[in-house]
Amino acid sequence: MAERCHAGLARALGLAGTGLASVARCCCPPGRVRGLLPPLTWLPGYTLGSLRMDLVAGLTVGLTVVPQSLAYAQVAGLPAQYGLYSAFMGCFVYCLLGTSKDVTLGPTAIMSLVVSVYVRRDPVYAVLLTFLSGAIQLLMGILRLGFLVEFISLPVLKGFTCAAAITIGFSQIKTLLGLKDIPQQFFQEVYYTFSRIAETRLADALLGGSSLLLLILLRVIAARSPIPPPIPVSVRISNSITSIFGTVRNAVVVLAAALVAFACESQRLHPFTLTGHIAQGLPPFHPPAFSETKEGTFIPFLQIVRDLGLALLVIPLLGFLESIAIAKAFATKNMYRIDPSQELIAIGLTNVLGSFTSSYPVTGSFGRTAVNSETGVATPAGGLVTGTVVLLSLAFLTPWFYFIPQAALSAIIICAVAPLFDCRILWRLWKIKKSDALVFVLTFALCLWEIPYGLLGGVVASLLPLLYPLLRPHLDATRVEAAVPASGALVVKLQCGLCFLAVEHLRDELLALQASCSVIPGPCSAPRPVVLDCRAVYMLDYSSVCVLRDLLLNFHSRGSHLLLACLQPQVLDVLCRSEVDCEPFASVAMAETWLSEQECKEERILH
């Protein structure tokens, strides 16, 4: 397919039969074209069976994403229509650029929570954050920086997701109970929710609780084990119907709650807190606003950027991290490979284009991806159906969304985030490695306070055990008097590499080791010579070279020797180019032999 594209492009430009056609193939080889446009890989094998599976999966995910998007906009602190504005662009872009057949991009609970921290319930801030985050992700993808996700360990990720699940879930309790004016900060939210529990609206609490129970029941039905054959036709039909209801349970609950609310409103009863008016129609396609006038005050672009602050770091990394973790999980389950850097390009372009349709930042959704996979999606083309369902909802159904009770949406959010909380992970981490358990606890606790600090603290805490050997390399020192009695050399073996982080420590430890050893007996009473075994040193930087030069001069000035043995070729090359005055040895034994010979020469001179 890629070869035919090259040939067609060459013919269109009149390059066929010329050397420029070969240049085009060299500049953009077929493998690279398939990497940038994944449909070139799966489209040639697309069949009617694949189309049928994609239609079913896309429709199912579409019926799931519409009520979830309305609910997640509530978490982000934005008007409900912004959830729908955020739910369709990723479906179309990911079909063209994504490398996972299962992943669906759109608003998620965790991303909505983090967005709410920074955008201050201001849609202008949210949409501009989408554009800037997408541009950063797109640049990271072009520079092939997908490997950065490897710096975030699983304990950090688990601590973050568990804290986010608790934060998001508890934030919906106040809406489920019909409470108003509760602060958003988690610990204040807990305090004020319990202190004002007497203000609960009974109708909202009953409807929310009923919606929660119905969602749990439908979830259990969808997850039940299949009945072994033979199965009567009537049983098979009833199983299919209940399975469908279980899969699209969010839509079922929202529809049932909206009908109850509509019936009450038609009787001029107002027992429930409703979603209210939602702007009808498709969002206009225009660039995001780069400034804002708010309450008569003009806010320029640079001021908005300063207000967003850490969001420009947290949102792009969080969006990529959440999506790539989901993509890797389902790629392993369904036995295919993904390209992290290409995923970055897909997410980045989704957010950049999404900002033109008033989207807030989106990423991969675990729940909807699971639904997509379970319903047998064959290719990313299923996202085209999902996106179409969202657009049709925006065009024709928004007047009916007015009657959706907020308590029902809160129940949907609580059920969506509940599986994110893994209550057994701490015990598993403690059994395997206690330091990982401490990293999890630190990340979890800090994320309850402030998510960016939690992620940063967790990453630093997980990297410290890896950095410590570089900061404080262990020196394995042994005397070799038995092997070379005349020299009495001290052999010091470095257990890891040597870089600027450790050179000062190395100098201090080396001099302390030499000082702690007795002086070689004899007429000269010289300090013991040291042989530095450098086989574990695979690189040297400028700081390391300078410290080694100083050490060599220090030993020489005191009439002793510092010898370097077992140098790697690249390290030896650096020393030669740095013009360090030392004589390297291929092995410790050769260095000891040289010291023994030097000792004999000195004795002959003295005699």
Side-chain angles (χ1 to χ4, degrees):
M1 176 62 73
E3 288 82 353
R4 290 199 293 273
C5 291
H6 283 299
L9 181 61
R11 286 194 297 272
L13 297 177
L15 302 178
T18 70
L20 293 179
S22 299
V23 172
R25 283 192 295 271
C26 292
C27 294
C28 197
R32 184 60 180 152
V33 171
R34 285 193 294 270
L36 291 173
L37 291 173
L40 295 177
T41 301
W42 54 261
L43 199 55
Y46 202 73
T47 63
L48 285 176
S50 301
L51 177 61
R52 184 179 66 254
M53 290 189 291
D54 286 343
L55 283 173
V56 172
L59 181 62
T60 305
V61 175
L63 294 175
T64 302
V65 72
V66 170
Q68 277 192 344
S69 299
L70 295 171
Y72 291 153
Q74 180 175 297
V75 176
L78 299 171
Q81 65 267 22
Y82 282 87
L84 294 175
Y85 294 165
S86 307
F88 63 87
M89 185 61 73
C91 300
F92 300 117
V93 173
Y94 196 82
C95 177
L96 295 176
L97 298 176
T99 59
S100 168
K101 74 178 182 68
D102 300 300
V103 166
T104 62
L105 299 183
T108 66
I110 292 177
M111 182 61 77
S112 300
L113 172 68
V114 179
V115 166
S116 70
V117 174
Y118 294 103
V119 302
R120 308 175 183 182
R121 298 182 176 272
D122 189 332
V124 173
Y125 274 59
V127 175
L128 185 56
L129 177 59
T130 306
F131 176 81
L132 296 175
S133 299
I136 294 170
Q137 290 168 332
L138 194 56
L139 180 62
M140 290 171 64
I142 293 171
L143 297 176
R144 312 296 292 174
L145 298 180
F147 68 90
L148 290 176
V149 72
E150 297 169 11
F151 285 93
I152 301 180
S153 65
L154 190 58
V156 174
L157 184 60
K158 285 291 187 180
F160 163 68
T161 53
C162 288
I166 290 179
T167 304
I168 295 168
F170 197 87
S171 72
Q172 298 308 304
I173 297 296
K174 61 180 184 289
T175 309
L176 197 92
L177 300 177
L179 301 177
K180 302 290 185 182
D181 302 322
I182 301 292
Q184 282 191 305
Q185 206 279 332
F186 176 73
F187 295 106
Q188 293 184 2
E189 191 172 52
V190 172
Y191 173 76
Y192 283 103
T193 297
F194 284 110
S195 65
R196 295 173 55 184
I197 198 75
E199 301 174 20
T200 298
R201 290 170 59 99
L202 183 60
D204 280 333
L206 288 174
L207 183 65
S210 302
S211 300
L212 203 56
L213 290 174
L214 182 56
L215 283 167
I216 294 172
L217 177 62
L218 291 174
R219 185 182 193 128
V220 171
I221 290 174
R224 76 190 189 285
S225 302
I227 301 174
I231 308 173
V233 175
S234 59
V235 175
R236 192 181 306 132
I237 293 173
S238 64
N239 282 345
S240 300
I241 293 173
T242 54
S243 178
I244 291 171
F245 274 90
T247 303
V248 296
R249 55 187 175 273
N250 292 335
V252 171
V253 168
V254 164
L255 180 60
L259 287 175
V260 171
F262 177 76
C264 293
E265 294 290 323
S266 64
Q267 298 298 317
R268 297 185 180 181
L269 300 174
H270 311 287
F272 306 117
T273 305
L274 303 180
T275 299
H277 176 73
I278 296 177
Q280 186 175 2
L282 303 179
F285 190 85
H286 58 73
F290 286 84
S291 60
E292 181 184 17
T293 301
K294 193 173 184 179
E295 298 178 356
T297 304
F298 177 74
I299 305 176
F301 172 71
L302 291 178
Q303 180 60 47
I304 295 178
V305 170
R306 281 194 293 270
D307 291 342
L308 291 174
L310 277 176
L312 298 177
L313 174 64
V314 173
I315 296 295
L317 290 178
L318 174 60
F320 172 54
L321 173 65
E322 191 173 357
S323 187
I324 200 67
I326 294 167
K328 280 187 173 182
F330 282 88
T332 301
K333 177 183 176 183
N334 296 322
M335 293 182 293
Y336 60 86
R337 294 181 63 84
I338 60 164
D339 181 351
S341 296
Q342 181 66 21
E343 291 291 301
L344 262 174
I345 292 175
I347 300 169
L349 192 59
T350 293
N351 280 319
V352 169
L353 294 179
S355 68
F356 283 69
T357 58
S358 302
S359 165
Y360 69 84
V362 302
T363 183
S365 164
F366 186 87
R368 294 193 296 275
T369 298
V371 170
N372 207 24
S373 179
E374 288 166 8
T375 47
V377 69
T379 69
L384 300 178
V385 182
T386 300
T388 303
V389 170
V390 177
L391 290 176
L392 291 174
S393 300
L394 273 167
F396 303 109
L397 298 181
T398 46
W400 296 98
F401 293 158
Y402 177 92
F403 297 101
I404 298 176
Q406 289 188 6
L409 295 178
S410 294
I412 289 173
I413 295 171
I414 292 171
C415 280
V417 300
L420 295 176
F421 185 79
D422 187 351
C423 58
R424 293 174 295 180
I425 184 63
L426 181 59
W427 173 242
R428 291 199 298 268
L429 290 172
W430 185 263
K431 284 199 302 183
I432 295 170
K433 191 176 182 182
K434 292 179 174 56
S435 61
D436 282 346
L438 295 176
V439 168
F440 169 85
V441 171
L442 176 67
T443 305
F444 178 82
L446 289 177
C447 281
L448 289 179
W449 174 44
E450 196 77 40
I451 284 176
Y453 297 149
L455 286 172
L456 181 60
V459 169
V460 171
S462 60
L463 289 178
L464 278 179
L466 302 178
L467 290 175
Y468 187 79
L470 294 176
L471 291 167
R472 293 293 181 266
H474 175 65
L475 303 182
D476 186 7
T478 56
R479 297 189 181 118
V480 294
E481 293 170 311
V484 189
S487 69
L490 185 67
V491 176
V492 178
K493 184 177 180 180
L494 285 174
Q495 299 295 329
C496 66
L498 184 60
C499 64
F500 71 94
L501 297 171
V503 287
E504 295 296 333
H505 173 75
L506 171 68
R507 173 172 31 204
D508 296 341
E509 288 293 307
L510 208 55
L511 294 175
L513 269 173
Q514 191 193 36
S516 66
C517 297
S518 58
V519 177
I520 298 177
C524 295
S525 298
R528 286 183 182 275
V530 175
V531 179
L532 198 59
D533 186 344
C534 301
R535 71 186 68 195
V537 179
Y538 51 87
M539 62 163 285
L540 286 179
D541 53 27
Y542 180 73
S543 302
S544 306
V545 170
C546 291
V547 169
L548 281 176
R549 183 185 286 115
D550 291 345
L551 277 170
L552 288 164
L553 292 173
N554 183 292
F555 273 73
H556 181 71
S557 66
R558 293 186 293 125
S560 185
H561 298 283
L562 174 63
L563 305 182
L564 306 181
C566 308
L567 292 169
Q568 301 290 342
Q570 64 271 24
V571 174
L572 185 58
D573 180 61
V574 172
L575 289 175
C576 291
R577 285 188 280 110
S578 305
E579 299 179 354
V580 174
D581 186 15
C582 69
E583 186 175 352
F585 294 90
S587 67
V588 172
M590 292 178 66
E592 295 166 359
T593 302
W594 184 87
L595 283 172
S596 181
E597 291 173 355
Q598 291 297 113
E599 186 71 21
C600 291
K601 287 180 183 178
E602 290 175 4
E603 287 182 1
R604 283 198 298 270
I605 292 171
L606 288 173
H607 291 300

